[in-house]
Amino acid sequence: MLGYFGFHALNGELGLVGKARLEHRFAALETELAELRSQREELESRVALMRPESLDPDMIDERARASLNLVHPDELAILRPSARAGI
C-alpha cells in the first residue's frame, strides 16, 4: 500500500511530475495572456481613435484608403505585407 501511494505521489496527476507539468502549462498560459493583453490594448487604442468625439482625420483617411484601395494621382503608394492584414 505504501508503494502504491508513493508511486502516485511522484507520478500521479497531482504528484511531483504532475506539478511540474502544471507549472509549465501555467507559464505558457501566462505568456499567452500577456500577448493577448498587448493585442487588446493596441486594438482598443485604434478603436478609440475612431470614436465620434475623438476622430483622427489621419486614421479616417488611412482606413478609407485601405478599404477603397485608392490613392491620389500625385501620391506614391508603397505596398508592404502586414501581419495585421485583416485589421
Side-chain angles (χ1 to χ4, degrees), residues 71-85:
V71 294
H72 290 293
D74 61 341
E75 290 180 339
L76 175 65
I78 300 173
L79 303 175
R80 301 181 301 162
S82 174
R84 301 181 311 186

Side-chain angles (χ1 to χ4, degrees), residues 16-56:
L16 294 176
V17 176
K19 182 180 177 187
R21 280 192 299 246
L22 288 174
E23 288 175 351
H24 178 69
R25 179 73 176 143
F26 180 77
L29 289 174
E30 284 286 327
T31 304
E32 184 180 350
L33 178 63
E35 290 173 10
L36 291 173
R37 280 187 176 156
S38 67
Q39 288 177 4
R40 180 181 175 166
E41 289 172 1
E42 180 183 343
L43 289 173
E44 284 177 349
S45 66
R46 291 178 61 88
V47 167
L49 292 174
M50 293 183 174
R51 291 200 174 109
E53 61 273 1
S54 65
L55 287 177
D56 181 15

